[in-house]
Amino acid sequence: MGTENVHPPIVQLSTVDKVLALGRANSLWPMTFGLACCAIEMMATGAARFDLARFGAEVFRPSPRQCDVMIVAGTISKKMYPAVKTLYDQMPEPKWVIAMGNCAISGGPFVFEGQYGIIEGADKFLPVDIYIPGCPPRPEALIEGILELEEKLTGSRRWPRVKAG
Amino acid sequence: MNGLTQLTDETFVLNLGPQHPATHGVLRVKLVMDGEWIVKAEPVLGYIHRMHEKMGENRTFAQFMPNTGRMDYLGALFYNHGYCCAVERAAGIEVPERAEWIRVITAELNRISSHLLWFGAFVLDLGGFTPLLYAFDDREIILDLLESVTGSRLTYCYFRFGGVYNDIDDSFIEGTRAFIKRMRGRMPMYHDLVTGNIIMRKRLEGIGPISQEMVRRYGATGPVARGSGINFDVRRHEPYSVYPELDFKVPVYHECDSMARYMVRMDEIEESMRIVEQGLDRLPEGPVMAAKAPKIIKPAKGDYYHAVEAARGSFGVRIVSDGTNTPYRLKLRSPTFSNLSLFGEACEGMLLADALALMGSLDLVIPEIDR
Amino acid sequence: MLDTIKAKLAALSPENISEPVYKEKGFVLDVQVAPEGVVAAAETLSAEGFFLEAITGVDWIDDNQLEAVYDYNHMASFCRVVVRTRCDRATPEVPTISEVYPGADWHERETHDFFGIKFLGHPNLEPLLLPEDADFHPLLKDFKP
């Protein structure tokens, strides 16, 4: 989604594009948009043990004007929905969205017959690029999500995939 | 909004949140400001209202357990404890000794990890980034210990009606003892780095006074009440579980300002470590689950109440039962709800930066308020 | 403490007053009053130094009534007192106690959000947890979203 709304330049230089994509991917600036429990795991990922700074993404900016990626961490309630949409619209292009946690993917454990208060998933109104399941997902899962986003931007993955077991 | 009637030519309305680095979740505060001074503050809630009480009516008692971990996610074991105790009181289930001790040990470890995160986030609000990293480092060790026993890092669902579902083993006990030893060595460093720091002292001493009468009129509990000189702790007031057999102090400070609330929580970390040590020393053998715990809980008609001392205050559960296996009404009395309700009155006439120090010292977790 | 407050509350002539067993129920005094009596009960309790723990609503759809339950406790020595009142489901009105206990402000707004109980004299009965323009009361038993 990221660069689709940007007009393509008149002169196209594919090597420069590759370098730009590499630069963007390795210095994603997330927005501090923790809504609920997943926010704590996001903070833990930025803290000392898991250290998101290794991947270039430790600069969490509160202002949407200075961010690339919005990590929707937590449940989106119907009252909060206009604020989320406004914040997304305020982010400058190119921008991406990561839906972190079950609530941002599909409403999570709060979906039940007769529910009146939440939006069932961020992708109901935002174009989500990466989904990270979990309730809450482990910090390693969030790091894997950021690496998947980097792979989506550059087309290749610089960090090895960790095999289970 | 009532405050708008106080707008003059010199005042303006400033909107704090709902997306703000210092509001600890999605809290919005409408501030009527006169320059840097707050004329009137009105918190607006509901941005993370997740319908827990409605879900309580739609689910059986056992199916509601995972919800309890998600209200106050930093002190999830206290919510587990409060809910389990309320259902056990309603249905008349006895809990074996070993399970009670395990509940207290794990819950007090959870209190330490909750206060550590509060400590890091509070100093971050005031502008200091480093203590957050140290606090998270210590907290990760507790999370590892609790993960080995409960299976989750954050939103625990460990207690069951009649006990706990998983026993603790020797590696947990050794790991906890090693952690306490390490933490005792770290606390002097925290006090040197933060408590004795002249900037912290200037920003917290005398800031955000909350009188005893205000605490009583708003029903604030927990460290907010104890920082104002009121010796109120549910563990001593209405003893439950094995707390009557434990030797621990309840820290009370009388200055009523943000520094007092800060010191109450730092002392509570020390006291929780003492409780965990006593628990590990006195842990009896035996089953961890009641032998005759019923599979389907159907309490008799009527209403029941149980309160526990959560990390933020007195957490109460009121169950209204109609004899079926789902609650007729499940009310969750959250401590932060009452604690935050005094914010409007407490921060009139303060500087904005001081109001944020006050908000941090109240230790807010917004999903617990909105439920 | 219990005997003093029981005597003072009995003097307000409630509809019913009983002492449940603490171990079974969690509270030691249960007082049922008419809706008009909640303010007098709150003033009596406040004069004795009690604080308000919670206000709950319960929808008794079979009796066609809504109940408001007030939990009070004392910080110096334990004494949990429950004050209940029932009002008609079609026009539920209970006087506010927010003059006596400012903390009741938010509790009453929440109960109004969930059940639609109007607290007469409340300074600002706007939705607290629901969106500002919400016109539904979700915890009623016949609520359909």
Side-chain angles (χ1 to χ4, degrees):
Chain A
M1 135 96 244
T3 48
E4 281 157 23
N5 288 348
V6 178
H7 287 294
I10 296 174
V11 180
Q12 307 242 10
L13 294 166
S14 68
T15 327
V16 176
D17 274 343
K18 279 214 186 81
V19 171
L20 274 179
L22 196 64
R24 283 186 186 128
N26 283 302
S27 67
L28 290 164
W29 283 15
M31 186 157 74
T32 60
F33 200 46
L35 296 162
C37 343
C38 284
I40 305 296
E41 291 296 54
M42 199 163 65
M43 285 162 72
T45 317
R49 182 188 275 198
F50 299 101
D51 198 12
L52 205 48
R54 302 179 273 168
F55 308 101
E58 93 271 70
V59 187
F60 281 85
R61 311 301 295 180
S63 164
R65 306 276 184 203
Q66 299 166 5
C67 305
D68 300 306
V69 60
M70 178 196 244
I71 305 183
V72 182
T75 327
I76 305 172
S77 71
K78 286 191 179 150
K79 195 167 181 181
M80 189 69 191
Y81 155 69
V84 180
K85 194 87 181 76
T86 313
L87 285 166
Y88 179 75
D89 290 338
Q90 283 177 337
M91 282 166 69
E93 297 279 352
K95 55 191 174 187
W96 297 276
V97 177
I98 296 182
M100 176 183 177
N102 291 350
C103 289
I105 295 178
S106 67
F110 301 105
V111 174
F112 63 96
E113 183 78 34
Q115 73 96 351
Y116 59 86
I118 64 163
I119 307 263
E120 291 175 16
D123 56 4
K124 294 261 185 283
F125 62 101
L126 289 178
V128 174
D129 294 288
I130 303 282
Y131 297 86
I132 307 179
C135 190
R138 283 190 66 101
E140 289 99 330
L142 177 57
I143 295 179
E144 176 70 19
I146 301 259
L147 296 181
E148 288 277 332
L149 185 60
E150 288 184 17
E151 188 178 349
K152 191 172 178 182
L153 262 58
T154 57
S156 68
R157 193 181 152 113
R158 281 210 297 149
W159 308 98
R161 242 174 248 287
V162 178
K163 292 231 179 316
Chain B
M1 176 187 136
N2 292 342
L4 283 171
T5 55
Q6 291 176 312
L7 276 180
T8 62
D9 279 335
E10 286 149 15
T11 58
F12 61 97
V13 176
L14 182 70
N15 190 38
L16 185 73
Q19 188 256 1
H20 189 275
T23 53
H24 305 290
V26 276
L27 170 69
R28 180 173 164 218
V29 187
K30 285 191 205 163
L31 297 162
V32 178
M33 310 279 301
D34 174 15
E36 280 277 326
W37 278 269
I38 296 176
V39 173
K40 189 174 171 76
E42 184 193 326
V44 179
L45 306 174
Y47 288 96
I48 193 75
H49 175 59
R50 296 189 284 188
M51 314 164 282
H52 283 280
E53 297 188 0
K54 180 88 187 164
M55 286 171 87
E57 296 177 15
N58 280 345
R59 277 159 169 57
T60 65
F61 287 93
Q63 286 173 335
F64 187 73
M65 272 302 292
N67 286 42
T68 58
R70 279 146 183 88
M71 279 186 283
D72 174 12
Y73 37 80
L74 298 177
L77 285 175
F78 295 111
Y79 275 60
N80 275 212
H81 202 175
Y83 181 64
C84 281
C85 282
V87 173
E88 284 156 9
R89 174 171 277 167
I93 305 173
E94 292 277 331
V95 179
E97 273 282 312
R98 187 175 168 92
E100 293 274 27
W101 283 96
I102 293 178
R103 279 182 175 184
V104 166
I105 292 170
T106 46
E108 293 297 327
L109 276 176
N110 202 189
R111 192 190 303 271
I112 300 175
S113 84
S114 167
H115 282 335
L116 277 173
L117 190 136
W118 160 82
F119 169 73
F122 183 42
V123 185
L124 181 68
D125 285 348
L126 300 176
F129 188 66
T130 317
L132 177 82
L133 297 172
Y134 282 91
F136 264 75
D137 202 21
D138 287 327
R139 194 174 159 263
E140 290 287 339
I141 306 177
I142 302 183
L143 260 48
D144 280 343
L145 290 168
L146 287 173
E147 187 185 5
S148 69
V149 161
T150 68
S152 19
R153 276 168 56 95
L154 196 65
T155 50
Y156 310 109
C157 181
Y158 176 48
F159 298 174
R160 300 280 183 272
F161 308 131
V164 295
Y165 85 94
N166 199 14
D167 201 348
I168 61 178
D169 57 0
D170 290 329
S171 69
F172 175 84
I173 295 178
E174 277 158 32
T176 314
R177 285 196 205 276
F179 166 72
I180 292 185
K181 195 157 158 236
R182 175 196 147 111
M183 194 68 202
R184 287 231 164 91
R186 301 272 277 193
M187 288 305 287
M189 178 196 75
Y190 287 133
H191 282 292
D192 267 344
L193 184 66
V194 180
T195 316
N197 188 314
I198 182 71
I199 303 178
M200 280 293 285
R201 296 204 93 95
K202 285 226 182 249
R203 282 211 68 176
L204 295 182
E205 277 170 0
I207 303 298
I210 297 179
S211 65
Q212 294 197 352
E213 189 50 28
M214 206 192 278
V215 167
R216 189 192 69 83
R217 282 185 299 125
Y218 284 90
T221 53
V224 176
R226 294 198 278 281
S228 295
I230 302 180
N231 187 354
F232 176 59
D233 185 323
V234 181
R235 297 174 290 181
R236 285 274 150 80
H237 207 239
E238 264 187 86
Y240 57 97
S241 189
V242 293
Y243 285 108
E245 300 173 39
L246 288 164
D247 168 37
F248 64 99
K249 287 202 302 285
V250 173
V252 177
Y253 283 76
H254 296 268
E255 292 90 4
C256 304
D257 59 5
S258 303
M259 194 66 183
R261 294 187 279 281
Y262 169 92
M263 287 309 298
V264 164
R265 290 192 185 97
M266 298 306 274
D267 286 353
E268 278 186 6
I269 298 180
E270 309 261 356
E271 294 300 322
S272 289
M273 287 197 281
R274 282 182 56 202
I275 295 178
V276 172
E277 265 183 338
Q278 289 171 52
L280 292 174
D281 290 336
R282 295 164 64 170
L283 189 65
E285 297 294 323
V288 292
M289 194 63 193
K292 293 207 208 59
K295 287 262 181 292
I296 302 181
I297 311 271
K298 281 194 190 175
K301 263 196 183 190
D303 54 338
Y304 309 88
Y305 193 99
H306 197 284
V308 299
E309 179 74 19
R312 283 156 191 83
S314 157
F315 166 62
V317 177
R318 165 172 282 279
I319 298 179
V320 179
S321 167
D322 59 348
T324 61
N325 64 349
T326 59
Y328 190 77
R329 169 87 172 103
L330 182 65
K331 159 82 181 175
L332 306 147
R333 189 261 173 196
S334 102
T336 323
F337 187 88
S338 305
N339 288 0
L340 184 60
S341 59
L342 54 72
F343 184 69
E345 188 181 318
C347 72
E348 277 175 15
M350 283 171 97
L351 285 170
L352 181 56
D354 291 341
L356 287 179
L358 167 62
M359 214 191 318
S361 73
L362 291 177
D363 195 359
L364 306 174
V365 172
I366 310 299
E368 182 189 23
I369 306 182
D370 288 351
R371 275 159 286 137
Chain C
M1 173 62 66
L2 176 59
D3 298 318
T4 335
I5 196 63
K6 185 175 177 188
K8 292 214 158 113
L9 286 171
L12 302 172
S13 348
E15 291 173 10
N16 187 18
I17 188 164
S18 68
E19 279 187 52
V21 176
Y22 167 74
K23 207 161 164 303
E24 289 169 18
K25 292 282 200 164
F27 43 94
V28 291
L29 195 62
D30 191 338
V31 184
Q32 170 112 20
V33 295
E36 301 77 39
V38 291
V39 184
E43 281 167 355
T44 316
L45 287 157
S46 182
E48 290 295 313
F50 280 72
F51 72 96
L52 178 70
E53 270 188 325
I55 303 183
T56 312
V58 189
D59 181 13
W60 296 110
I61 192 168
D62 296 328
D63 301 338
N64 210 17
Q65 285 181 318
L66 286 173
E67 183 180 21
V69 182
Y70 300 75
D71 286 301
Y72 296 93
N73 201 345
H74 200 284
M75 287 190 182
S77 69
F78 170 72
C79 185
R80 184 169 286 122
V81 176
V82 173
V83 175
R84 308 165 188 278
T85 180
R86 290 213 181 193
C87 50
D88 184 52
R89 201 164 182 275
T91 52
E93 284 172 355
V94 178
T96 182
I97 61 167
S98 52
E99 305 281 318
V100 186
Y101 283 104
D105 192 315
W106 280 18
H107 283 115
E108 288 176 350
R109 278 173 75 182
E110 180 195 331
T111 314
H112 170 78
D113 268 352
F114 286 157
F115 291 96
I117 299 180
K118 280 206 190 19
F119 288 93
L120 306 169
H122 193 282
N124 182 25
L125 205 61
E126 303 271 316
L128 183 71
L129 299 180
L130 298 176
E132 280 116 3
D133 52 355
D135 57 357
F136 54 93
H137 299 292
L139 253 61
L140 291 173
K141 293 287 175 189
D142 54 358
F143 165 71
K144 298 235 174 308

